[in-house]
Amino acid sequence: MTALTDIEGADFTASDEEIEEAVEEAAEELGMTPEKLQEEVAYILDSGTGRANNEGVAGAAASDNVDTNNDPRLEALEMYKLRQEL
């Protein structure tokens, strides 16, 4: 399993604590385990075969996004939550 805090990136602005808190909240909202959620979101970021990658997620925000601290890991988490909620 890949933890979101283990993925490295120059554009990461959120602390490990912010990431862990966001994962816990999202997992509860979606009825998933935090481990499974992290695995799914990490795939978005670190897979060369996925539809989105780290750079793509980073560019998804048109302007400053206070909710995600402009961090691609949190952006990917929000994208995943939105997809699950649809």
Side-chain angles (χ1 to χ4, degrees):
M1 183 206 73
T2 302
L4 293 180
T5 54
D6 292 340
I7 300 173
E8 296 181 5
D11 294 329
F12 294 171
T13 56
S15 68
D16 286 353
E17 292 78 22
E18 288 174 292
I19 297 296
E20 291 168 3
E21 183 178 319
V23 166
E24 291 287 332
E25 289 174 9
E28 186 175 324
E29 287 175 30
L30 297 172
M32 300 175 71
T33 65
E35 295 80 16
K36 179 65 176 171
L37 179 61
Q38 286 199 72
E39 185 177 322
E40 295 290 328
V41 174
Y43 178 80
I44 293 171
L45 290 170
D46 68 6
S47 172
T49 60
R51 289 187 218 155
N53 58 26
N54 193 357
E55 291 79 20
V57 172
S63 61
D64 286 345
N65 189 339
V66 177
D67 294 338
T68 62
N69 198 16
N70 295 319
D71 189 298
R73 297 168 295 176
L74 295 176
E75 294 283 350
L77 179 60
E78 289 300 316
M79 286 175 54
Y80 184 81
K81 280 175 40 181
L82 178 62
R83 190 181 89 200
Q84 294 306 305
E85 292 168 351
L86 291 176

